């Protein structure tokens, strides 16, 4: 019952955050249109589809290399094979996963805002963020339907810090999503307007890759028991602080850039 209540509160928080973010954007920036948001959602879904396929390529290669063991083994042997690969290459895997997220999401965001007016960029980015939140809600639902088996030693090691980290992560996720995605969309459009689109795209890919690579490493290191609980708190603190700062700076930079390009009166 407690798990169900936590899940319902989590979902309610994520939905409320999405509504509040939209209201605030309309109140303090420019009034948006549903078509702009839907455009962002569509491009984000396409980006994630290709991203997931690309991110599975290394795992597929590992399985194919060890195809004989896979054929004669069981499902658990495949899982062990993948976990061993991730454990042995955790930094490279984290960088690759983050880079794929950055490349696909920012390239599709670049395409979504290219050639359009300046204002839609903000709400196209909001559409990208909505898909982020939708996936977060889906993960909460899946955690209720499919219980995850966790090694008891690892579970005991992190039992004191996991709730705190999860709570902080939950609190900042909508903040980061609704700042970073609209902000990067605006910056990409501003760079395109100044005929420096490639430069802006590379910068946004790097920023996005940093955030996703960091969290990918942290998640994998915790699951595999590679870092102790005190180090988890330290690394998580660095992650939370840096991603919030990056998201804020990108949003402010994007909004100021478009405001300057459109003139002194950004409000309708």
């Amino acid at each position: 019952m407690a798990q169900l209540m936590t899940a319902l509160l989590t979902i309610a928080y994520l939905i409320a955050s999405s509504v509040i973010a939209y209201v605030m954007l309309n109140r303090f920036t420019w009034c948006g249109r549903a078509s702009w948001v839907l455009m962002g959602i569509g491009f984000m879904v396409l980006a994630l589809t290709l991203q997931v396929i690309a991110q599975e390529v290394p795992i597929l290669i590992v399985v194919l290399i060890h195809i004989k063991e896979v054929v004669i083994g069981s499902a658990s042997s495949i899982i062990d094979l993948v976990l061993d690969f991730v454990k042995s290459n955790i930094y490279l895997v984290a960088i690759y996963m983050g880079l794929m997220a950055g490349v696909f999401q920012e390239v599709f965001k670049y395409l979504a805002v290219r050639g359009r007016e300046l204002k839609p960029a903000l709400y196209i980015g909001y559409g990208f963020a909505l898909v982020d939140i939708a996936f977060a809600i889906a993960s909460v639902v899946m955690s209720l339907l499919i219980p995850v088996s966790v090694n008891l030693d690892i579970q005991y090691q992190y039992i004191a810090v996991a709730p705190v980290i999860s709570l902080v992560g939950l609190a900042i996720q909508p903040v980061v999503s609704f700042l970073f995605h609209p902000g990067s969309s605006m910056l990409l459009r501003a760079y395109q307007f100044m005929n420096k689109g490639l430069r802006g795209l590379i910068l946004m890919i790097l920023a996005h890759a940093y955030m996703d690579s960091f969290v990918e490493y942290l998640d994998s290191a915790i699951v595999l028991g590679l870092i102790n609980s005190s180090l988890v708190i330290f690394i998580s603190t660095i992650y939370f602080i840096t991603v919030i700062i990056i998201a804020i700076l990108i949003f402010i930079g994007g909004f100021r850039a478009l405001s300057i390009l459109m003139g002194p009166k950004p409000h309708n």
Side-chain angles (χ1 to χ4, degrees):
M1 181 61 70
Q3 185 181 9
L4 178 60
M5 287 301 299
T6 301
L8 291 176
L9 289 173
T10 299
I11 294 172
Y13 170 73
L14 293 172
I15 294 174
S17 300
S18 303
V19 174
I20 292 172
Y22 187 79
V23 171
M24 292 183 68
L25 289 178
N26 273 275
R27 173 66 179 83
F28 297 106
T29 60
W30 310 286
C31 292
R33 298 177 184 172
S35 60
W36 299 344
V37 177
L38 291 175
M39 188 179 302
I41 292 174
F43 273 88
M44 179 60 154
V45 170
L46 290 174
L48 286 177
T49 301
L50 295 178
Q51 173 190 321
V52 170
I53 295 173
Q55 287 177 329
E56 295 301 320
V57 168
I59 304 301
L60 178 60
I61 292 174
V62 170
V63 172
L64 290 176
I65 291 175
H66 299 84
I67 190 65
K68 291 183 179 179
E69 295 92 325
V70 172
V71 171
I72 64 176
S74 61
S76 61
S77 66
I78 299 175
I79 295 173
D80 291 338
L81 182 67
V82 172
L83 290 178
D84 288 340
F85 170 75
V86 174
K87 189 173 184 178
S88 302
N89 303 275
I90 187 167
Y91 296 110
L92 291 177
V93 170
I95 292 172
Y96 176 80
M97 298 291 278
L99 191 59
M100 289 300 98
V103 168
F104 283 102
Q105 292 185 37
E106 298 309 316
V107 166
F108 272 80
K109 197 179 296 176
Y110 181 96
L111 295 175
V113 302
R114 186 177 63 176
R116 305 188 187 280
E117 296 179 8
L118 299 178
K119 290 181 182 180
L122 173 65
Y123 291 93
I124 289 173
Y126 175 83
F128 272 71
L130 275 185
V131 179
D132 256 357
I133 300 303
F135 269 80
I137 293 174
S139 68
V140 173
V141 174
M142 292 300 293
S143 68
L144 292 175
L145 300 177
I146 307 176
V148 178
S149 177
V150 182
N151 180 279
L152 291 179
D153 292 335
I154 297 176
Q155 188 180 45
Y156 177 79
Q157 181 181 356
Y158 298 110
I159 194 169
V161 300
V164 177
I165 295 174
S166 298
L167 182 62
V168 176
L170 169 65
I172 74 167
Q173 180 172 1
V175 176
V176 173
S177 290
F178 289 120
L179 286 175
F180 177 79
H181 284 297
S184 61
S185 293
M186 290 187 289
L187 273 179
L188 285 172
R189 187 64 191 94
Y191 272 106
Q192 291 171 355
F193 190 87
M194 298 182 292
N195 295 318
K196 298 178 180 179
L198 181 60
R199 180 185 302 180
L201 179 59
I202 292 173
L203 290 175
M204 293 304 100
I205 288 175
L206 292 177
H208 197 136
Y210 167 80
M211 294 190 291
D212 277 45
S213 295
F214 204 144
V215 74
E216 181 68 28
Y217 164 77
L218 189 58
D219 289 345
S220 297
I222 291 175
V223 170
L224 297 172
L226 299 180
I227 50 180
N228 58 47
S229 57
S230 60
L231 191 56
V232 168
I233 295 176
F234 175 73
I235 296 176
S236 298
T237 301
I238 295 176
Y239 170 73
F240 292 143
I241 292 174
T242 54
V243 297
I244 290 174
I245 291 174
I246 289 173
I248 291 173
L249 291 178
I250 286 178
F251 184 87
I252 292 175
F255 180 70
R256 291 186 62 183
L258 289 196
S259 297
I260 292 172
L261 292 175
M262 288 190 294
K265 295 181 178 181
H267 295 277
N268 282 341

